[in-house]
Amino acid sequence: MYYFTNEENQEIRVVDIDASSPFRRSFILSDDNSLEDIAQERDYLVLKVYRPSSVSTLASKKGLMIKSKVIENNWLYVANTSFLGLTGTTDDDWFEASEFSNEATGFIFHKTGEVNGEDVYAIESIAYPGRYFSHNGHPIQGVNLLFLEEYDDPVDAPKFRLYRTESAFPEGNPSVPVDAQFAW
């Protein structure tokens, strides 16, 4: 999952949820450093979208969950703190992540278009409707952290692209049913 900070210079930010505080890593794309190269060299950056358990409230709200494809349990969630919009990761298995407190692991992917064959999304929190993934870091906790900001409409929210790797990466979490992996 990434976005361009400067498309002319091929500067991107990639969402990294392999840390205790998810953040955005900077890269410059070139002939020697493609999105596929980044995925191969840093496979933990390959994020996957998953359907929650069908018995969870996230399923009825059309919520999707996000984790690193190759790591066993590293589900992204929006923290319930006084710094609204901060994100974290939970070490729960798939079913527990589907039932996470306050539906904080659930996100709605609003498709807002397509650029160069890649779908573009505004990503909204289920737990905090109207809060979307932002291109800005947290004003107090850190400029590189993944942070959610308030927007009235998905069209106005920052956009993210989901890169579909050419390579296959093994699922790191044996508790995830095969049909829970969203086919993007």
Side-chain angles (χ1 to χ4, degrees), residues 1-7 11-15 23-26 85 112 120-123 131-139 142-151 154-161:
M1 185 179 323
Y2 75 100
Y3 62 92
F4 279 94
T5 55
N6 183 325
E7 201 153 356
E11 296 172 12
I12 63 170
R13 287 275 181 117
V14 176
V15 175
F23 63 101
R24 300 162 302 126
R25 289 186 179 275
S26 294
T112 59
V120 179
Y121 297 90
I123 305 169
R131 290 212 169 254
Y132 294 82
F133 282 24
S134 167
H135 293 178
N136 301 316
H138 191 276
V143 296
N144 288 326
L145 293 180
L146 179 61
F147 181 63
L148 280 74
E149 293 182 315
E150 201 164 5
Y151 291 89
V155 173
D156 301 326
K159 309 302 184 278
F160 288 78
R161 299 181 193 189

Side-chain angles (χ1 to χ4, degrees), residues 147-173:
F147 181 63
L148 280 74
E149 293 182 315
E150 201 164 5
Y151 291 89
D152 292 330
D153 192 281
V155 173
D156 301 326
K159 309 302 184 278
F160 288 78
R161 299 181 193 189
L162 296 176
Y163 175 67
R164 293 182 184 110
T165 62
E166 296 169 16
S167 306
F169 292 90
E171 172 57 54
N173 188 330

Side-chain angles (χ1 to χ4, degrees), residues 52 56-65 106-109 126 182:
S56 77
T57 57
L58 285 181
S60 64
K61 294 182 178 182
K62 308 279 191 248
L64 298 172
M65 303 184 312
F107 300 94
I108 298 172
F109 284 68
I126 294 248
F182 207 79

Side-chain angles (χ1 to χ4, degrees), residues 78-86 128 131 138 147-150:
V78 182
N80 183 10
T81 69
S82 56
F83 298 118
L84 193 57
L86 277 178
Y128 302 98
R131 290 212 169 254
H138 191 276
F147 181 63
L148 280 74
E149 293 182 315
E150 201 164 5

